[in-house]
Amino acid sequence: GQQLNQSPQSMFIQEGEDVSMNCTSSSIFNTWLWYKQDPGEGPVLLIALYKAGELTSNGRLTAQFGITRKDSFLNISASIPSDVGIYFCAGHSGGSNYKLTFGKGTLLTVNP
Amino acid sequence: NAGVTQTPKFRVLKTGQSMTLLCAQDMNHEYMYWYRQDPGMGLRLIHYSVGEGTTAKGEVPDGYNVSRLKKQNFLLGLESAAPSQTSVYFCATGRTEAFFGQGTRLTVV
C-alpha cells in the first residue's frame, strides 16, 4: 500500500527559530495536506495543496507540493510557543481512491 | 455550526463489553471515516463510508463494525472490547480535505 515517510520524527527548537519538515511518498499524490494536532484535540487542517509545484502560505506557515508529486514540505517561520504540537502530512491519490494516507507525524517542541 | 462532533469524549470499558461511538457532521459531506491513533503509529483507518448506506473496510477493521444509516451520522461499534482496542478514536469527514472531530479516548481494562 501507499506509505508516507515524514521527517523528522521530533524537533526541539528555540522560540524565534524557523522549522522545516517534509514528507516523501512511494507513489504519486494529487493532493497534499498538512495538519496540526494540539494535545487532547483532533487534527486541524493547516494547508491544502493541489498542484505539483504549488507553494501556499498560511500566516507563518508555507507548504509546497513537490514537482515529482511524491513529496511535500512545511516550513514554519519565527516559531512561537503555541506552535507546539504534532504536525501530520497526508496525501490523496485521487480518482476512485477515497482514502487519505497519513505520515506518522512530527512532534514539535518550542522552548520559550 | 458544530462541524464534526464525537460522543462520548471519554470511556472506560471492561474486556468483553460492547459500545458504540457516534460521529455526527453538519457539513453535508458524503465521505466519513473512522481512525484510531496510537503512539508511534500515526492515524490508521478503521472503516469508511462514501455515502448513506455504504461502508467499507480500512487498514485495521478487525474487531469493529460500522453503520451509516443517515448521511450525517457514522457509528463505530465494538462488539467485544479488548485491551488492544485502547486508543484514541477520531471521526473525519470530507473527500480531498478531511475534517476531524475532537476524538474519543477509550480505555479497555
Side-chain angles (χ1 to χ4, degrees):
Chain A
Q2 295 171 328
Q3 293 187 356
L4 284 185
N5 294 312
Q6 185 171 350
S7 63
Q9 287 186 321
S10 62
M11 301 182 75
F12 189 94
I13 63 171
Q14 295 296 122
E15 183 176 358
E17 289 183 353
D18 296 344
V19 171
S20 183
M21 59 192 78
N22 69 81
C23 271
T24 58
S25 168
S26 57
S27 55
I28 289 173
F29 285 122
N30 289 338
T31 303
W32 281 98
L33 306 173
W34 285 93
Y35 288 85
K36 183 193 178 198
Q37 184 177 25
D38 291 327
E41 302 290 330
V44 173
L45 182 63
L46 298 174
I47 293 179
L49 303 159
Y50 299 104
K51 291 183 184 178
E54 181 180 355
L55 185 70
T56 297
S57 293
N58 178 4
R60 293 178 295 105
L61 278 62
T62 301
Q64 185 158 27
F65 193 140
I67 291 292
T68 65
R69 295 165 63 194
K70 290 186 176 183
D71 62 345
S72 178
F73 72 75
L74 175 71
N75 285 344
I76 304 173
S77 62
S79 59
I80 59 178
S82 62
D83 289 335
V84 165
I86 304 176
Y87 291 80
F88 290 99
C89 62
H92 190 289
S93 58
S96 60
N97 184 353
Y98 311 113
K99 297 170 285 186
L100 279 175
T101 301
F102 281 87
K104 293 188 177 180
T106 295
L107 174 61
L108 178 64
T109 303
V110 180
N111 192 27
Chain B
N1 185 354
V4 183
T5 303
Q6 291 182 231
T7 53
K9 290 187 169 43
F10 302 93
R11 185 74 186 268
V12 178
L13 284 181
K14 293 183 178 178
T15 298
Q17 285 186 319
S18 63
M19 78 165 293
T20 300
L21 283 67
L22 171 64
C23 177
Q25 56 116 348
D26 61 6
M27 305 177 82
N28 201 33
H29 286 159
E30 293 291 340
Y31 300 86
M32 297 187 74
Y33 311 87
W34 276 107
Y35 291 90
R36 60 177 289 173
Q37 186 176 36
D38 303 292
M41 301 295 289
L43 288 156
R44 293 184 292 170
L45 183 63
I46 305 171
H47 286 281
Y48 64 100
S49 168
V50 301
E52 182 178 316
T54 73
T55 62
K57 294 180 180 180
E59 300 172 64
V60 289
D62 294 343
Y64 305 95
N65 56 74
V66 288
S67 64
R68 184 96 181 269
L69 299 180
K70 294 182 179 181
K71 182 179 182 178
Q72 64 267 34
N73 294 338
F74 194 28
L75 278 63
L76 178 70
L78 286 73
E79 291 185 347
S80 179
S84 61
Q85 294 178 304
T86 293
S87 187
V88 182
Y89 292 86
F90 287 102
C91 174
T93 72
R95 182 170 181 178
T96 52
E97 297 178 10
F99 297 89
F100 285 81
Q102 289 198 312
T104 296
R105 283 145 188 81
L106 175 66
T107 302
V108 183
V109 297

